[in-house]
Amino acid sequence: MTVGVLALQGDFAAHARVLSDLGAEVREVRVPADLDGLDGLVMPGGESTTMTLGIEREGLGDPLRAFAATGAPIFGTCAGLIMLDREHLQIMDITARRNAFGRQVRSFEADLTFPDLDGPPVRAVFIRAPWIEDAGPSVEILAEVDGHPVAARQGSLFVIAFHPELGDDIRLHERFLADVRAHVGAP
Ligand SMILES: NC(=O)CC[C@H](N)C(=O)O
């Protein structure tokens, strides 16, 4: 089982570290050929304009859409959530609002309860975070802050507006890897 981390810009190294600590084989994705044979992909947080330019430069748009169409799990976090939306890669049926919490509230933490996660709430670190402004009928909202969706699922796509790679709560990465394992039919 090999999972990719989009490594054009942003917090990809921290994601790769968490995933390898959890026993996954991790590959950094920079060009389309890096997607070959991957069983899942993390789209990290960072800066979505820079990431968009990198995706265009490397010709990764169509390959990423084709990868998503195989049903392989994709975990989009913060800028990664933005990249998957209707205005960017058009992979997920959501519209993200960038820097949605306002310039004053650049970063904050919040406790989020996920319906399908055991144990205490997730201590979520938000950094110039987006929220989900609009979502289609096949999107399930999993968590909100002040009534604004910040975590959602649509089939094999799982997005959160915060940074799970900061801090020591590894449950969301574990959940992503469980999805990947289910996708490849591994025990
Ligand atoms: N921490 C993040 O990934 C922030 C995303 C950033 N505000 C953007 O629009 O790209």
Side-chain angles (χ1 to χ4, degrees), residues 9 44-51 77-80 82-83 97-100 125-130 161-163:
Q9 189 271 335
E47 210 289 306
S48 55
T49 305
T50 312
M51 237 178 258
T77 70
C78 206
I82 297 171
M83 296 314 306
R97 176 154 162 204
R98 291 181 63 189
N99 303 314
V125 179
F126 291 82
I127 304 170
R128 292 188 286 281
F162 53 93
H163 282 258

Side-chain angles (χ1 to χ4, degrees), residues 38 65-73 156 183:
L38 287 185
R65 279 184 284 272
F67 181 76
T70 67
S156 54
H183 172 69

Side-chain angles (χ1 to χ4, degrees), residues 14-153:
H15 278 283
R17 212 171 304 125
V18 177
L19 293 165
S20 349
D21 285 351
L22 288 171
E25 194 71 45
V26 182
R27 186 193 302 161
E28 293 186 351
V29 173
R30 295 194 170 82
V31 294
D34 293 335
L35 290 167
D36 291 349
L38 287 185
D39 301 307
L41 179 70
V42 172
M43 311 263 298
E47 210 289 306
S48 55
T49 305
T50 312
M51 237 178 258
T52 299
L53 291 172
I55 286 171
E56 283 172 7
R57 186 186 64 232
E58 303 299 338
L60 269 161
D62 283 342
L64 284 168
R65 279 184 284 272
F67 181 76
T70 67
I74 298 184
F75 183 20
T77 70
C78 206
L81 175 157
I82 297 171
M83 296 314 306
L84 291 167
D85 88 346
R86 294 166 177 145
E87 288 167 16
H88 295 80
L89 288 168
Q90 300 170 337
I91 286 174
M92 192 164 177
D93 195 13
I94 56 169
T95 300
R97 176 154 162 204
R98 291 181 63 189
N99 303 314
F101 290 95
R103 302 236 158 244
Q104 268 72 26
V105 194
R106 296 196 137 232
S107 31
F108 61 96
E109 296 187 15
D111 286 323
L112 300 181
T113 302
F114 281 73
D116 52 353
L117 210 62
D118 292 334
V122 173
R123 187 81 186 150
V125 179
F126 291 82
I127 304 170
R128 292 188 286 281
W131 66 48
I132 296 170
E133 185 83 0
D134 185 62
S138 56
V139 177
E140 181 192 1
I141 302 300
L142 300 174
E144 299 186 337
V145 169
D146 299 336
H148 301 291
V150 293
R153 191 187 249 302

